[in-house]
Amino acid sequence: MTLRHPKDIDTMADLRAQIDHLDLELIRLLSIRQSHIDRAAEIKPAVGLPARIEDRVNEVVDNVRALAIREGFDAQTAADMWRLMIDNMIAREEQAMSKGDTA
């Protein structure tokens, strides 16, 4: 699907179809990101790192805020979304790391 600028879309059906396509692409990218987090859960125990590294969390959120501003997306919304995602990903890491400890 070729993305069109929202101002160039005249019907709700076309707008919804494009939003659905964007959602698909976002989920694809988030799935790849999750795979990287899963790999981090494998690497961190070997180098003595915990799942949550607060300085890194803050760095990622700060980076996302800056990217949001640059791209015209609401920075607070981006930060809130990323904090939720990060918290869930860290919980996923902790679960994977605890399974590794008991194996």
Side-chain angles (χ1 to χ4, degrees):
M1 167 182 268
T2 301
L3 290 179
R4 296 168 31 205
H5 191 280
K7 295 281 187 188
D8 295 332
I9 300 171
D10 297 322
T11 70
M12 283 304 300
D14 289 345
L15 189 62
R16 287 176 179 156
Q18 187 155 299
I19 290 169
D20 291 345
H21 178 76
L22 288 165
D23 288 345
L24 170 62
E25 293 303 315
L26 288 168
I27 292 298
R28 284 180 176 159
L29 289 171
L30 290 170
S31 178
I32 294 167
R33 188 184 195 285
Q34 180 176 279
S35 296
H36 284 71
I37 299 302
D38 291 346
R39 181 64 178 139
E42 296 171 355
I43 294 172
K44 284 180 177 180
V47 294
L49 293 174
R52 178 177 286 279
I53 303 168
E54 204 60 42
D55 286 345
R56 177 61 180 151
V57 170
N58 293 331
E59 178 185 11
V60 170
V61 173
D62 289 347
N63 289 342
V64 165
R65 280 181 170 281
L67 289 169
I69 290 167
R70 186 185 81 197
E71 297 298 322
F73 188 76
D74 182 75
Q76 187 60 51
T77 299
D80 292 345
M81 291 169 62
W82 252 254
R83 284 203 181 273
L84 177 63
M85 179 175 60
I86 289 167
D87 287 346
N88 281 277
M89 293 292 179
I90 289 171
R92 181 182 176 91
E93 275 187 87
E94 288 171 340
Q95 182 178 20
M97 290 166 74
S98 71
K99 286 180 183 174
D101 290 342
T102 60

